[in-house]
Amino acid sequence: MNAPPPTETSVSPAQAPHPDLTGYYRDAQERPGFVRRLFDDTAVHYDRINSVFSLGTGAWYRRHALKRAGLKPGARVLDVACGTGLVTREALRLAGPGGTVLGLDPSAGMLAEARATGAPLLQGRAEQVPLPGASLDMLTMGYALRHVADLGAAFAEFHRVLRPGGRVLLLEIGRPEGRLAHGLARAYLGGVVPALCRLAAPRAGTLMTYYWDTIEACVPAEAILGHLRGAGFHDVGCETSLGIFRAYTATR
């Protein structure tokens, strides 16, 4: 006897952004704790690490991406996985004194560093945003999508907390296409950057090695766009710069 077709209440299987990397942790249950500890241990060094890792894009690129995504003065914004507040700072400048920018991160160490931004901060995960529905004009996430447990659950939460017409901006680093570009990125991001970061702290080198491994294993852009559409977003797109930096945008 054939099984009945799925109903609207059927639950889709979780879609992690990449397979478990068991060289760092044993299974999916251990991954969130491993990632949180890694960021806690490297928080005080993270801004210096980022200046090496970002290939010089820095504040200008973040600010430019926020403008292109439609961030305007007076907006109410949540920066998910805010880390030390690199995206938060640029959002504060663009939202202006009439706007509100909040930061959310699971790492207590990162939040301690982000206090310098002056933004209100919340401890929590992308899959469970501690805010009421339809309360935001924009939601941002900078280079942390690879660390969520479930793309579908995270995007459903993003859709829930945005007002109709609200925008989402996800900044990411993607695996370059083409053998030469991939080889250069692997040599720099997977080799040179971890080696340089170990000079700051041993765990910083581990963080950057893990970063590259998540980039290598991450689902393609088409899968991320598909999950955004599946969560109910429209006007979904992805802009790529220098073959590696990706800015995903979508509208509630």
Side-chain angles (χ1 to χ4, degrees), residues 47 49-66 85-90 93 143 171 173 242 245:
D47 284 0
I49 293 169
N50 182 78
S51 67
V52 176
F53 187 73
S54 64
L55 299 175
T57 58
W60 178 89
Y61 177 75
R62 292 185 287 272
R63 185 164 58 251
H64 180 70
L66 288 165
L86 294 173
V87 175
T88 310
R89 288 184 181 91
E90 301 310 317
R93 291 187 178 101
Y143 310 107
L171 300 178
I173 296 177
L242 301 177
F245 295 103

Side-chain angles (χ1 to χ4, degrees), residues 66-109:
L66 288 165
K67 285 181 179 178
R68 286 181 63 85
L71 179 54
K72 294 180 173 58
R76 181 174 172 83
V77 184
L78 176 67
D79 185 20
V80 176
C82 65
T84 60
L86 294 173
V87 175
T88 310
R89 288 184 181 91
E90 301 310 317
L92 282 165
R93 291 187 178 101
L94 293 174
T100 301
V101 180
L102 311 171
L104 174 75
D105 201 281
S107 166

Side-chain angles (χ1 to χ4, degrees), residues 11-229:
V11 178
S12 300
Q15 170 65 71
H18 58 76
D20 292 336
L21 300 176
T22 53
Y24 297 95
Y25 48 82
R26 286 186 297 182
D27 52 36
Q29 284 67 45
E30 288 192 356
R31 182 162 73 97
F34 165 79
V35 172
R36 185 173 59 252
R37 289 189 299 273
L38 196 56
F39 280 104
D40 281 343
D41 291 347
T42 57
V44 296
H45 308 290
Y46 190 80
D47 284 0
R48 279 184 292 163
I49 293 169
N50 182 78
S51 67
V52 176
F53 187 73
S54 64
L55 299 175
T57 58
W60 178 89
Y61 177 75
R62 292 185 287 272
R63 185 164 58 251
H64 180 70
L66 288 165
K67 285 181 179 178
R68 286 181 63 85
L71 179 54
K72 294 180 173 58
R76 181 174 172 83
V77 184
L78 176 67
D79 185 20
V80 176
C82 65
T84 60
L86 294 173
V87 175
T88 310
R89 288 184 181 91
E90 301 310 317
L92 282 165
R93 291 187 178 101
L94 293 174
T100 301
V101 180
L102 311 171
L104 174 75
D105 201 281
S107 166
M110 287 289 185
L111 290 174
E113 297 298 312
R115 289 194 191 107
T117 65
L121 302 173
L122 304 166
Q123 188 166 12
R125 299 164 52 241
E127 297 88 348
Q128 293 179 315
V129 178
L131 290 175
S135 60
L136 300 170
D137 299 305
M138 179 173 280
L139 184 146
T140 64
M141 177 181 257
Y143 310 107
L145 186 61
R146 289 167 286 112
H147 306 312
V148 306
D150 183 354
L151 293 172
F155 292 164
E157 275 293 88
F158 296 175
H159 191 273
R160 179 185 69 81
V161 297
L162 282 167
R163 295 173 178 141
R167 296 277 284 166
V168 61
L169 169 66
L170 310 173
L171 300 178
E172 254 308 336
I173 296 177
R175 189 180 189 274
E177 298 180 2
R179 293 179 61 184
L180 178 60
H182 175 256
L184 291 172
R186 180 172 58 188
Y188 181 71
L189 299 178
V192 174
V193 170
L196 290 175
C197 290
R198 284 190 185 94
L199 298 176
R203 291 285 278 174
T206 301
L207 174 63
M208 290 298 100
T209 302
Y210 180 70
Y211 250 51
W212 173 250
D213 288 343
T214 62
I215 292 168
E216 284 264 57
C218 191
V219 297
E222 292 75 14
I224 293 169
L225 295 172
H227 280 286
L228 284 167
R229 294 187 188 98

